[in-house]
Structure formats: structure tokens, C-alpha cells
């Protein structure tokens, strides 16, 4: 496979000579024509290096190398201080729509439903383990937290709320505030049961409703009935740490970036002045997207920071700036109604490598200069035989520039050498920072590179790595999250008709209609991520799915009323037929090959930590893939389906039907 790719690649560049150096990283090329040609020899060397580095990182236990924070019983992790709350909503035993998750996804589902006029805010109930609205932006409070997708495209409902983000990339507290703003504007503020875990959701065919079993923090479990359930639980929300020998013996403090302990560090999310760290040596495990935001702040306050690295991130420029109000007003006025959707779709076009690309790059940042990201999220040209080759070509240029940036920024060349990423850019979440690399020029920061193996052992005093013991006052884990879809999470059981668990139904492969519903589970909706389109801007995807689901529910309500004139319709069911979901799944499978470029990536949560699939496992895994042809094509499919009318492929029934 590797050889085939290489031969193909070399043929394409046969006439090339060892060309000019790639342009500086802040002037990336936007199409292949601009790319500096690279010699055959150089290409081969890079490919070999990618392969060597990938192999170093392969661990036999794959995803099983990690445990959840609650699953490791040996050391208590900080939990963001959940406390028992009095909540009047616990008295409500029946609602119309129960939404699991009160982040941007859950809020969008609620707002889009309200906009159809199908129901009132008082008929919706959110249930969330967090202590407030915001989802990921509620849990994460680490210093430096910010969204790395431009806020004008990322923050939902900016037109409706008329909110101007303060910066091109706003910080965590502003995102959390925006979640509260949305909840307030649509009267949803009092409609959430927070600090409450959903354990199980079971369909009751007799009563045509769901029974949702919930446990409020510090209280007894209780049950709520709901006509509809929407699982908006997010993709990356179960924090994980590596399984570590000796963690139970460690005498210092431990916490995960998503549960930052300001009691220990000093400061607060809005003012991370971490004065309590001035005499502390902190070990930070991981160099992913959270790490690159948090470490520069730690370095400012701690006596010493020791960063333990397994795979370096590819760090592009950030170039954040305050929003210029004059520019904002002009931009919004000139673009007119629908400006935010247009901006989101313009952003998607570049990162999905649409052909042709729009004339204007409205967002104009590191994401929109990264067409090779389309290997991960799908692209209209994904099935072209030479797509992957072209993406490698584009990407090589980008990664080369990123590696050169490390070399020119980090003074100590031994440190610079190990901070260089050796893999195609789509294999890991791209990172953007103007101050992460320079942190390694500070006297109080050092990097321990584990040569692709990661840390495996903790002692009573600190971390044992590369044959040396590092004494640490605290270990902070920036080691990420388990990837899980809303409907297939280990900690939430969903049972449909005949008490059949969803996980059992999907054991041999996921089937769905449009990635949002599945046969045997009436009135259950979930926002993919499997079998839906994907984007670097997850909020765009969530909004499209929310609009789609709101349409399905309200149209089904209207159809039922038309069929039963003069009757107040209650208790209707919506369910995709087995045939319609079979057809949709086939369409997904036909496009799955477009995503094959991820399989040989350096290990990570995108590719099951690099574990190879047997043919059978590969076929099953393809059912869990996204829409390979890119987000625009996916949205067109579901829009066309809506335009056709009649909710084709859905079985709508009510107890009034004869
Ligand atoms: P990631 O999964 O991206 O990074 C985890 C880091 O921990 C990696 O560097 C990983 O190395 C490292 N690691 C894991 N095990 C070990 C070990 N045993 N020893 C040493 N290092 C280890 O998690 P993050 O929390 O950084 O980010 C998670 C996701 O959250 C991102 O991918 C992104 O989608 C999202 N995010 C988004 C942000 C935004 O601005 N929108 C900001 C922050 C996060 P390796 O690479 O080798 O696995």
C-alpha cells in the first residue's frame, strides 16, 4: 500500500526538480499549482520517516491503553465539585422532548424545534451531568481554553442573538456565556436538570413513550417519561488517562485538563493567575490541542513545568485579534440575512477541498489553508483515484513548513528535533498557537520525549520516563477523551422495541436513516456522528442535524393531524423503515473508501490507535464511518429529501389511526 502510494506520488512529480523551499507557514499555498516541487529522493525520505515514527507509536493494547477517570479506582481525580442541587424540575414526571446534553448541540436541537412552532419551551427538558449550559465549554475550564475554530463561524445563532464575539477566536468563558445567552433568549434557562446523569432510556411501546432513568447528583434515581428523546451528548466528553503502573502510590496532586483544579493552582477560569504554583514543579502529560493552550499559562506561574510527550502536535499560527466593530457591522450588513450560514459553508468548502474552491476565503486562517484535512472529514473528490496522492502532496508542503517553524522557533535544537511532527497533517487534530513553541525557550520549561511510547509508570514521587524519575508536586493529564457517538456510549443504555439494546442492534454494524434515527427505536434522535457529514466546525453539523430533526418531528405532527381531523393528536411515533435505513447505510458504505487515508495514520483516536482491522472488522467499521463525500454533499442529500416531502422512508403512526 505504502509502495503503491509512493510510486503514484513519484510519477506525479517525475518532472520536478529539487525546487525552491516551501513558502513560509503564514503564507500557505491554497492549491497544488502553488506547491513547490520536491525531489523524488526527498519525498521518499519523508515517507520513510513517517513510517518509522508511526511504527514506534503502535501499542498492542490500542484503545485499551486508556481508562476513564472514574474507572481507575486507585487515585481520586478532581471532579469540578459537583454538589447535590435542589431542583423543582425533578417533580416533572412527563415531558414532550427530553434532550440529553445541554451544550451547543442540545441547545440547537431545542431552538430549531421551537422555531417550527411544534412545541413550547416548557415542554422541553434538558438533562446534563454538568452544572450548567455549555457542554464541553462548561466542563473545560483550563487556563488558555479557547475555541480554535473562528468564533464568527463556530458560535451558534449569532444572527438570532445579534451577538458580536469579542475576538476572532474567543475564550472558554465567553463560549459558556453564549450558551447561557441562547438558553435565556429562548426561555430555556429554567428547563434543565443539571448535575444529573442519564443511566438508561427505554422505549415503552404500549404508551408510545420513552422512560428515561436519571440520577441527580447525591440523590436517588428517578424516572421521567418523554414522547421524544434527543441524545446530544457530544463526541469527546469522557476524559481518559493512560493505564499507569504505580499511580496509586503517587503522593502528589493529579487532575485532568477537563477538570481543572483552581483550588490547587490558584486563579479562576476568567483570571488564571495561578499564584499557588510559584513553588511547584508540575508534570504535564500530553501535547495535544488542550496541552498547547494550557502549557503557556502554566509556564508563566509554576516554578517548573516538565512536559511529557508521546507524539508532537503540528502547530500552525493562531494570529488571534480583537473584533473590529466597524468591520463587523459592515460585514453583517453587506452579507445580509443568512451571513453566518454562508460563512460556515465557505469555511467548509476549503477544509473539504471542494472543487472549485470559492473565489473568496472569508475565514482565511490555518483551517481554510488545510485542504488535506478533507482526508479525515470527507471530500467531493474523495473517491477519485488520485485524491489521496494529491492530498499527500498538499500536506507534505504544509507539514514541511510546520517542521521548519519548530526549527526556527525553538532555540535548543535537540528539543526542536523531537517537537517536529512526522505524519500527514490529517492524522491528528491540527493545532494553532503563537506561544506554545516559544514556551520551550523558557528556563523553567523542559520537554521529556518518550520516543513514541508515552509514560507508563508513576512512582510515589513523580513520573518515571526514559530511565529517569522526575519529582513532581502535581501531574496534570492532558490525555484527551474517549471518542463515542451519542447513542453508543458505554455509560448510557438505550433499549428500543422488545427491550432490545441499541448496542446489540449495532453489534454487526450501525444502520441509520441520515445518521439521526434507527429502526426499532421510535422517536429517538441522535446527531451522528456516524453516517452524517463532518466538518472541522462541529457546530455547523449540529445545526444542520437540528434543523433536519426539527423538520421531521414537526412534519410528522402535521401529517398525523391531517390524518385525524378534529382530534388533538398525542402520542405519535416516527420510525425509519428497515429498508430506508438499509438504503442509507449502503450509500454511506459506498463512500467510505474516501476515508481510507486515515487507516495508516500515526495512532490516535481517529483510527483506533492504529490497530489494524481484519476484513470483517473493517466492514463493520465502515458502517460507523462518516459521509465520505464531504459535508456539502451530505447536507444536499438531506435537504433534497426534505424538499421531496412526505417523510419518505419514515413510518408515522398515532394511536388515533384506524
Ligand atoms: P488529545 O487526544 O488531542 O491529546 C492527548 C495527548 O495525550 C496526546 O498528545 C497524546 O499523545 C498524549 N498521551 C496519551 N497517552 C500518553 C502517555 N501515556 N504518555 C504521554 N502522552 C500521552 O486530547 P486533548 O484534550 O488535547 O484534545 C482532545 C480533543 O478536544 C481535540 O482533539 C479537539 O478535538 C478537542 N479540543 C478542541 C479545542 C478547540 O479549540 N476546539 C481545544 C482543545 C481540545 P498521542 O498523540 O501520542 O496519542
Amino acid at each position: 500500500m505504502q509502495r503503491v502510494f509512493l510510486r503514484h506520488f513519484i510519477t506525479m512529480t517525475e518532472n520536478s526538480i529539487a525546487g525552491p523551499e516551501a513558502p513560509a507557514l503564514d503564507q500557505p499555498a491554497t492549491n497544488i499549482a502553488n506547491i513547490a516541487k520536491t525531489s523524488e529522493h526527498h519525498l521518499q525520505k519523508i515517507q520513510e520517516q513517517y513510517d518509522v515514527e508511526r511504527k514506534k507509536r503502535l501499542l498492542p493494547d490500542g484503545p485499551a491503553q486508556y481508562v476513564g477517570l472514574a474507572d481507575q479506582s486507585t487515585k481520586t481525580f478532581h471532579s469540578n465539585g459537583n454538589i447535590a442541587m435542589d431542583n423543582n424540575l425533578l417533580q416533572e414526571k412527563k415531558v414532550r422532548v427530553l434532550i440529553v446534553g445541554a451544550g451547543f448541540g442540545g441547545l440547537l436541537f431545542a431552538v430549531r424545534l421551537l422555531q417550527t412552532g411544534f412545541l413550547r419551551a416548557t415542554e422541553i427538558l434538558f438533562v446534563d451531568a454538568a452544572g450548567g449550559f455549555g457542554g464541553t465549554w462548561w466542563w473545560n475550564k483550563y487556563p488558555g481554553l479557547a475555541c480554535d475554530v473562528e468564533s464568527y463561524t463556530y458560535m451558534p445563532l449569532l444572527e438570532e442573538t445579534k451577538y458580536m464575539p469579542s475576538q476572532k477566536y474567543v475564550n472558554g468563558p465567553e463560549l459558556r456565556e453564549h450558551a447561557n445567552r441562547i438558553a435565556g433568549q429562548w426561555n430555556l434557562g429554567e428547563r434543565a436538570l443539571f448535575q444529573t446523569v442519564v443511566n438508561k432510556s427505554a422505549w415503552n411501546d404500549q404508551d408510545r413513550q420513552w422512560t428515561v432513568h436519571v440520577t441527580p447528583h447525591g440523590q436517588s434515581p428517578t424516572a421521567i417519561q418523554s414522547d421524544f428523546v434527543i441524545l446530544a451528548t457530544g463526541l469527546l466528553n469522557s476524559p481518559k488517562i493512560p493505564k499507569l503502573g504505580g499511580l496509586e502510590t503517587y503522593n502528589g496532586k493529579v487532575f485532568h485538563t477537563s477538570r481543572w483544579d483552581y483550588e490547587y493552582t490558584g486563579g479562576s477560569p476568567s483570571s488564571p493567575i495561578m499564584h499557588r504554583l510559584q513553588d511547584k514543579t508540575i508534570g504535564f502529560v500530553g501535547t495535544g490541542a488542550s496541552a498547547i493552550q494550557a502549557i503557556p499559562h502554566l509556564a508563566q506561574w509554576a516554578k517548573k513545568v516538565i512536559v511529557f510527550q508521546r507524539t508532537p502536535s503540528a502547530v500552525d499560527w493562531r494570529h488571534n485579534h480583537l473584533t473590529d466593530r466597524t468591520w463587523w457591522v459592515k460585514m453583517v450588513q453587506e452579507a445580509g440575512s443568512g451571513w453566518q450560514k454562508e460563512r460556515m459553508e465557505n469555511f467548509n468548502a476549503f477544509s473539504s477541498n471542494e472543487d472549485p474552491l470559492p473565489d473568496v476565503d472569508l475565514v482565511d486562517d490555518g483551517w481554510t489553508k488545510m485542504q488535506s484535512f478533507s482526508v479525515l472529514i470527507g471530500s467531493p473528490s474523495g473517491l477519485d483515484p488520485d485524491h489521496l496522492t494529491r492530498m499527500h502532496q498538499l500536506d507534505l508542503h504544509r507539514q514541511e513548513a510546520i517542521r521548519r517553524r519548530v526549527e526556527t522557533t525553538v532555540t535548543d535544537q535537540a528539543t526542536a528535533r523531537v517537537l517536529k511532527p512526522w505524519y500527514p497533517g490529517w492524522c491528528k487534530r491540527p493545532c494553532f498557537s503563537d506561544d506554545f513553541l516559544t514556551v520551550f525557550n523558557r528556563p523553567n520549561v523542559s520537554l521529556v520525549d518518550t520516543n513514541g511510547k508515552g509514560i507508563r509508570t508513576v512512582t510515589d514521587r513523580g513520573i518515571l520516563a526514559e530511565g529517569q524519575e522526575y519529582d513532581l508536586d502535581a501531574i496534570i493529564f492532558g490525555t484527551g477523551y474517549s471518542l463515542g457517538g451519542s447513542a453508543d456510549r458505554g455509560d448510557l443504555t438505550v433499549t428500543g422495541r422488545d427491550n432490545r439494546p441499541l448496542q446489540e442492534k449495532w453489534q454487526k454494524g450501525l444502520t441509520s436513516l441520515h445518521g439521526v434515527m434507527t429502526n426499532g427505536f421510535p422517536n429517538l434522535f441522535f446527531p451522528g456522528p456516524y453516517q452524517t457529514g463532518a466538518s472541522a466546525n462541529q457546530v455547523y453539523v449540529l445545526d444542520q442535524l437540528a434543523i433536519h430533526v426539527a423538520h421531521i418531528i414537526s412534519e410528522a405532527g402535521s401529517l398525523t393531524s391531517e390524518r385525524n381531523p378534529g382530534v388533538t393528536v398525542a402520542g405519535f411515533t416516527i420510525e425509519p423503515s428497515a429498508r430506508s435505513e438499509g438504503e442509507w447505510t449502503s450509500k454511506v458504505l459506498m463512500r467510505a473508501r474516501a476515508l481510507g487515508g486515515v487507516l495508516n495514520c500515526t495512532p490516535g483516536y481517529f483510527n483506533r490507535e492504529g490497530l489494524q482491522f481484519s476484513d470483517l472488522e473493517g466492514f463493520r467499521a465502515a458502517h460507523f464511518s462518516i459521509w465520505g463525500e464531504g459535508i456539502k454533499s451530505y447536507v444536499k442529500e438531506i435537504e433534497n429529501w426534505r424538499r421531496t416531502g412526505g417523510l419518505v422512508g419514515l413510518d408515522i403512526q398515532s394511536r388515533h389511526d384506524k
Side-chain angles (χ1 to χ4, degrees), residues 325-502:
R325 183 170 288 280
T326 313
W327 167 82
W328 174 264
V329 171
K330 190 162 171 273
M331 183 273 287
V332 169
Q333 267 172 6
E334 281 178 2
S337 161
W339 72 262
Q340 196 185 20
K341 180 164 184 276
E342 189 192 325
R343 196 173 179 95
M344 287 172 165
E345 291 180 346
N346 181 275
F347 173 87
N348 288 342
F350 287 94
S351 42
S352 313
N353 192 39
E354 281 169 20
D355 186 18
L357 293 174
D359 292 339
V360 187
D361 176 359
L362 295 172
V363 173
D364 191 21
D365 70 358
W367 285 108
T368 60
K369 300 291 183 290
M370 191 183 173
Q371 274 91 71
S372 63
F373 196 63
S374 62
V375 177
L376 182 72
I377 58 170
S379 166
S381 53
L383 291 172
D384 293 353
D386 62 348
H387 172 72
L388 191 55
T389 310
R390 281 191 285 123
M391 290 304 105
H392 267 290
Q393 202 171 14
L394 276 177
D395 191 73
L396 187 70
H397 169 78
R398 177 179 186 273
Q399 294 293 85
E400 288 272 81
I402 279 179
R403 288 190 282 268
R404 240 192 341 274
R405 179 186 180 202
V406 177
E407 216 166 79
T408 52
T409 309
V410 178
T411 319
D412 174 49
Q413 283 306 295
T415 304
R417 191 174 53 76
V418 292
L419 279 169
K420 289 184 193 173
W422 291 101
Y423 47 80
W426 61 78
C427 289
K428 294 242 167 241
R429 168 92 183 190
C431 291
F432 305 90
S433 172
D434 298 343
D435 51 10
F436 174 69
L437 292 171
T438 50
V439 106
F440 294 99
N441 295 336
R442 294 178 66 115
N444 67 331
V445 179
S446 57
L447 181 70
V448 177
D449 181 63
T450 59
N451 198 24
K453 289 291 166 248
I455 63 153
R456 303 293 263 183
T457 311
V458 171
T459 67
D460 58 337
R461 294 190 308 169
I463 287 176
L464 189 63
E466 300 300 287
Q468 194 179 327
E469 187 179 22
Y470 294 86
D471 279 9
L472 303 167
D473 293 300
I475 304 175
I476 303 176
F477 290 92
T479 46
Y481 306 82
S482 306
L483 180 65
S486 314
D488 67 336
R489 297 162 53 101
D491 54 352
L492 165 59
T493 308
V494 179
T495 58
R497 282 225 166 80
D498 306 321
N499 225 1
R500 187 183 191 195
L502 187 54

Side-chain angles (χ1 to χ4, degrees), residues 552-566:
I552 291 173
I553 296 178
S554 65
E555 277 294 296
S558 306
L559 283 176
T560 316
S561 302
E562 280 165 26
R563 283 207 303 242
N564 301 284

Side-chain angles (χ1 to χ4, degrees), residues 81-98:
N82 262 357
I83 42 148
M85 281 167 96
D86 279 341
N87 200 321
N88 290 337
L89 293 176
L90 275 175
Q91 310 312 318
E92 290 191 24
K93 294 295 174 207
K94 171 76 208 274
V95 293
R96 228 162 156 208
V97 175
L98 187 144

Side-chain angles (χ1 to χ4, degrees), residues 57 65-66 137 142 146-149 236 240 242 244 257 285-291 293 308-311 428-429 453-455 478-481 603 605 609:
R57 287 169 169 75
Q65 68 185 274
Y66 293 108
W137 305 112
Y142 62 77
C147 183
D148 65 10
V149 174
L236 292 164
K240 61 179 170 45
L244 296 168
T257 43
V285 185
T287 46
S290 302
Q293 293 184 336
F308 295 86
Q309 172 178 270
R310 186 164 67 182
T311 311
K428 294 242 167 241
R429 168 92 183 190
K453 289 291 166 248
I455 63 153
T479 46
Y481 306 82
Y605 65 84
E609 301 296 334

Side-chain angles (χ1 to χ4, degrees), residues 74 82 151 592 639:
T74 52
N82 262 357
S151 42
E639 280 179 350

Side-chain angles (χ1 to χ4, degrees), residues 34 152 154 177 217 407 413 457 534 556:
N34 291 343
Y152 319 140
Y154 178 82
E177 255 172 54
H217 186 79
E407 216 166 79
Q413 283 306 295
T457 311

